[in-house]
Amino acid sequence: MTDVEEIVEKAQRLDPARLRLLSEFVDFLLARGQVRGDAAVFSETSIEDPETPSVYQGKPLSLEAMREAVDWEAGEHR
């Protein structure tokens, strides 16, 4: 049995959600193989300089206050 036949056999036993994930993963692997030269699949990111002034103008928040704000925002978007 070839590797492809084994994968097909296993894929037939997957539920629809996992089969979709497998399909997306295979698409990712195929796209990655098509990259030529120095081009990257994901664009390069950069970290800003720590000396860059903050764009935030409010009072400094404690860790607890930040967590409360995140929890509140998460509740708003449910």
Side-chain angles (χ1 to χ4, degrees):
M1 181 182 299
T2 66
D3 292 337
V4 174
E5 291 170 341
E6 186 177 348
I7 292 170
V8 169
E9 186 178 300
K10 291 178 180 179
Q12 290 172 344
R13 295 187 297 236
L14 293 174
D15 60 82
R18 286 197 169 105
L19 189 57
R20 192 172 330 109
L21 285 172
L22 175 62
S23 176
E24 291 171 2
F25 180 66
V26 170
D27 288 344
F28 169 77
L29 291 176
L30 291 172
R32 203 163 169 226
Q34 294 173 0
V35 174
R36 302 240 191 297
D38 292 336
V41 174
F42 300 105
S43 59
E44 186 175 331
T45 60
S46 62
I47 298 175
E48 68 181 33
D49 187 329
E51 301 301 317
T52 304
S54 174
V55 294
Y56 180 70
Q57 299 298 318
K59 67 175 184 161
L61 297 176
S62 68
L63 184 56
E64 182 179 332
M66 283 190 257
R67 286 183 177 146
E68 288 175 7
V70 169
D71 289 343
W72 183 84
E73 283 292 330
E76 289 290 307
H77 294 287
R78 286 186 187 167

